Amino acid sequence: ADFMNVTARGDNEASSLKANTAMVNRANIVNAAVDTLQIAGNAVTIPVAASGTSSCQTPSVDFNSASLNIIVAGNSNLTSNSSSGTLGAVYLDLYRNGGLIRSWLVVYHHTDSGSHGGSVTGVFQDNPGAGAFYYTAVLRLSANSTFTASNQSVSVLVLGTRR
């Protein structure tokens, strides 16, 4: 039977429903298949993350927000390779599409011998505008260092709305 312009109130049960337009105030959907989803006001934030030993890179993602919140973390040990006065440092560098945008000091060590460890967590707000971006976090040993870096780990998490 074909029904035209049916209004139903109260509890209704059906095994299937076909409609050109459905206005729903609240729904509990167990399994949904959606061709196109449009959410008002960029109400969904999708994280993009990566981790590694001395460097890591997120996949390139097309963001539609002008501002992205980025959390980076890194840790490293420094061990002296010399018995004379030495110095060394490890920095955590953050790159967007290959260009350096921020650096943090992870550990600085100035001693005759021994090992020293450090860690840093940085929170950074990047304002690149809308577009496709990838972020790379790299632990970098300072130039002319007489130290060896070890036990390194690094991670980056980008929070923003995606297209």
Side-chain angles (χ1 to χ4, degrees), residues 79-87 111-114 146-148:
T79 303
S80 174
N81 294 329
S82 173
S83 60
S84 61
T86 58
L87 61 94
T111 187
D112 290 341
S113 63
T146 57
F147 282 79
T148 301

Side-chain angles (χ1 to χ4, degrees), residues 115-138:
S115 181
H116 189 68
S119 63
V120 67
T121 300
V123 178
F124 181 69
Q125 187 172 32
D126 192 20
N127 299 296
F133 306 105
Y134 64 91
Y135 289 87
T136 307
V138 177

Side-chain angles (χ1 to χ4, degrees), residues 41-160:
N42 297 325
V44 175
T45 299
I46 299 174
V48 178
S51 63
T53 52
S54 62
S55 69
C56 63
Q57 181 175 301
T58 66
S60 181
V61 175
D62 199 6
F63 290 99
N64 64 0
S65 55
S67 179
L68 303 173
N69 292 310
I70 302 168
I71 302 167
V72 292
N75 63 50
S76 179
N77 287 342
L78 281 175
T79 303
S80 174
N81 294 329
S82 173
S83 60
S84 61
T86 58
L87 61 94
V90 174
Y91 296 91
L92 175 58
D93 296 334
L94 178 65
Y95 297 84
R96 180 189 348 103
N97 292 0
L100 180 66
I101 57 174
R102 183 77 158 82
S103 287
W104 292 267
L105 177 64
V106 177
V107 60
Y108 174 79
H109 194 31
H110 179 34
T111 187
D112 290 341
S113 63
S115 181
H116 189 68
S119 63
V120 67
T121 300
V123 178
F124 181 69
Q125 187 172 32
D126 192 20
N127 299 296
F133 306 105
Y134 64 91
Y135 289 87
T136 307
V138 177
L139 288 169
R140 173 180 50 90
L141 187 61
S142 59
N144 301 320
S145 176
T146 57
F147 282 79
T148 301
S150 62
N151 297 324
Q152 295 185 313
S153 66
V154 64
S155 59
V156 59
L157 172 65
V158 180
L159 299 173

